[in-house]
Amino acid sequence: MAIKRVRVEDLKEGMFIHDLNCGWLQHGFLRQQFLLRQSSQIKKMKDQGMDEVYIDTARGDDVADAPTREEIDQRLEAQLKESVAAGAAGLHARVSQKEESAAAKRILGEASGVVNGLLQDVRLGKQLDPVKAKPLVKAMHSSVLRNPGALISLSRLKSADTYTFQHSVSICALLVSFCHSLGLDAASVEEAGLGGLLHDVGKMKVPNEVLNKPGRLTEEEFKIMKSHASISRELLMGVPGISEMVIQIAGEHHEKISGGGYPLGIAGDQISKIGRMTAIVDVYDALTSNRVYHKGMEPSEVLKKLLEWSGTHLDGDLVQQFIRTLGIYPVGSLVRLSNGRLAVVVEQNEDLLRPTVRVIYDIDRKIKLVPRDLQLTSGGEQIVDYEEPAEWKLDPASFL
């Protein structure tokens, strides 16, 4: 008996759903795990654009030739390492992560305040004024140019009660890095960053009891929540001077490459490139963030999810490029080294399998170490795997 991944079109009554496999979305099912009793449940999955789910064959019927979760994980692990064969995507630190952290922390604090103000203006029915945000986007771009990892690693730290604001700031930082790594000119990079800051303005028109509900949404609540993408687009279209790129980011970041997303259900190249890029960073940030109703996953695990959803939910080529932007061990990741020590990734290098790490813990002696930086090389210590910080009672961010 095993956990297996099956196509929604192959589901039948009597199978037990273990995981709906759409972790970044709140969906119209009250539970992630349940026995399929009616064909209407399968139809609902199809209507919501679900492509593949996981079943538990110990609690329901089997699909003989479906791959197990272990087989899929091994395959994704190999794909992840293959993704970085071409090296880093052109982001090189001009200053150390330690030097840039103070500036990045200040920028993120200012950005959260500005975004909070902008979104509250929308909630109160006031005219959105993006001019206030442009200097901050420029400052974030400058921070990424100085050190790509500092801003992104710090932007993972969010409070549950201010998630909507901080999520928008994180999307800005990730889009700035992603666009810069793809070689976009400075004006386009900063326009994308502005789009990231404003991509969820429509959520301010969603009732608070739905937006901040500490649990799964009902089907009706899910419909209300999904309306935020079209509302965002309409709001931004009414703001003088807003570019088409910003509107595309807001209106298309929940579309799916295979169709079945929202609000329009468009597919493939019907979705703009920047819309497809934003879908990737939106998934990444949502899955790595702690929320009231779920614990954030470690970055390397989320990168595997991006690969798994390539070709159905996400643009596979862009996912590969995003992985090369962040590295398979993003800054702030806790990793286990071949010498039995734990370390935090602090810098990416051209060889993304061998970043610079800060050694912090001796596993055999179960003691914290005086932190020291180590540049991994082909002939020296290697990363064996990434680790779950909670299991070691360690906070990687405190070592950055």
Side-chain angles (χ1 to χ4, degrees), residues 302-334:
V302 175
L303 294 179
K304 287 196 290 186
K305 272 296 178 189
L306 299 185
L307 284 172
E308 182 178 359
W309 292 335
S310 292
T312 54
H313 301 185
L314 305 170
D315 183 312
D317 291 338
L318 289 173
V319 165
Q320 296 283 349
Q321 292 172 344
F322 182 67
I323 290 170
R324 289 197 291 272
T325 298
L326 289 188
I328 65 172
Y329 306 111
V331 172
S333 299
L334 183 68

Side-chain angles (χ1 to χ4, degrees), residues 30 74 120 126 203 222 225 247 287 320:
L30 294 177
Q74 290 173 6
Q120 290 299 345
K126 297 180 180 178
K203 284 186 176 179
F222 184 53
M225 178 63 86
I247 294 169
L287 285 185
Q320 296 283 349

Side-chain angles (χ1 to χ4, degrees), residues 12 14-19 32-36 54-61:
K12 295 177 182 176
M15 293 180 181
F16 189 90
I17 301 298
H18 176 77
D19 182 357
Q32 277 270 19
Q33 299 184 345
F34 54 90
L35 181 67
L36 284 173
Y54 285 89
I55 61 169
D56 186 344
T57 62
R59 303 174 71 179
D61 293 341

Side-chain angles (χ1 to χ4, degrees), residues 209-362:
E209 59 268 24
V210 175
L211 183 63
N212 298 318
K213 185 177 179 180
R216 295 290 173 192
L217 300 179
T218 66
E219 189 168 0
E220 187 57 37
E221 289 169 338
F222 184 53
K223 288 179 182 177
I224 294 170
M225 178 63 86
K226 288 200 299 184
S227 70
H228 81 270
S230 56
I231 294 172
S232 295
R233 179 180 175 84
E234 290 165 12
L235 281 170
L236 291 170
M237 287 179 71
V239 177
I242 286 289
S243 70
E244 180 63 19
M245 178 186 281
V246 172
I247 294 169
Q248 288 170 334
I249 288 170
E252 298 177 0
H253 68 279
H254 285 300
E255 300 291 356
K256 294 172 59 177
I257 199 73
S258 61
Y262 64 89
L264 299 177
I266 53 180
D269 291 340
Q270 291 177 305
I271 310 168
S272 67
K273 183 176 181 179
I274 195 64
R276 284 176 274 145
M277 291 169 66
T278 310
I280 293 167
V281 302
D282 190 62
V283 170
Y284 176 82
D285 187 67
L287 285 185
T288 53
S289 298
N290 290 323
R291 301 295 304 276
V292 173
Y293 50 84
H294 78 78
K295 184 179 182 300
M297 296 164 61
E298 285 304 295
S300 295
E301 277 293 323
V302 175
L303 294 179
K304 287 196 290 186
K305 272 296 178 189
L306 299 185
L307 284 172
E308 182 178 359
W309 292 335
S310 292
T312 54
H313 301 185
L314 305 170
D315 183 312
D317 291 338
L318 289 173
V319 165
Q320 296 283 349
Q321 292 172 344
F322 182 67
I323 290 170
R324 289 197 291 272
T325 298
L326 289 188
I328 65 172
Y329 306 111
V331 172
S333 299
L334 183 68
V335 295
R336 179 192 292 257
L337 302 180
S338 53
N339 63 357
R341 308 228 165 149
L342 298 181
V344 177
V345 177
V346 293
E347 301 280 4
Q348 296 295 339
N349 300 306
E350 185 60 34
D351 184 345
L352 292 173
L353 293 172
R354 299 180 179 87
T356 300
V357 300
R358 191 159 291 152
V359 182
I360 61 171
Y361 191 84
D362 187 309

